[in-house]
Amino acid sequence: MINITTNIEGEDHIIMVEGDVDASSSIHLDEALTELANDDSVKYILVDGSQLNYISSAGLGVFMSYIDDFKNKSIKMVIYGLSEKVSNVFQILGLDQLMTIVSDKKEAKEKLHEVQS
């Protein structure tokens, strides 16, 4: 079971992912990210994973499929709040090297808005 909600705080679009992202539910995560990717006003995405219990390779594939798309559209995405178990899955596959993953919302907002030199 998965529940995905999207909120806006200023210019930050926050996707909260609750439950399990597996092969059957990953389509809902994909739909939420597609909606943001297709909105030209979106430049900052925070993914709140604090209620994410499990993520399968299909769920990880959803995140991976947007890396280039977001880069091409100058959209910055930061994932935060992952449990140790879920964070380990990202690390084992090296996805923590391809995506920005931090521990909490405050740090995520700082990373999202840091000035690139």
Side-chain angles (χ1 to χ4, degrees), residues 57-113:
S57 58
L60 294 168
V62 169
F63 283 118
M64 289 175 51
S65 70
Y66 286 93
I67 292 172
D68 288 336
D69 197 21
F70 286 168
K71 184 180 272 188
N72 293 337
K73 294 181 177 188
S74 298
I75 297 172
K76 292 178 74 175
M77 180 177 73
V78 177
I79 302 170
Y80 72 93
L82 300 178
S83 68
E84 186 176 347
K85 179 177 79 171
V86 173
S87 182
N88 284 342
V89 174
F90 279 84
Q91 290 173 6
I92 288 168
L93 297 175
L95 299 181
D96 59 326
Q97 303 299 310
L98 301 174
M99 295 179 250
T100 304
I101 302 171
V102 298
S103 60
D104 60 41
K105 187 176 184 178
K106 180 179 183 291
E107 187 180 359
K109 283 184 169 267
E110 289 169 1
K111 279 279 188 205
L112 204 59
H113 297 286

Side-chain angles (χ1 to χ4, degrees), residues 36-51:
L36 293 177
N38 291 334
D39 183 339
D40 291 337
S41 69
V42 174
K43 294 296 172 206
Y44 303 105
I45 300 172
L46 291 166
V47 178
D48 180 350
S50 61
Q51 301 299 312

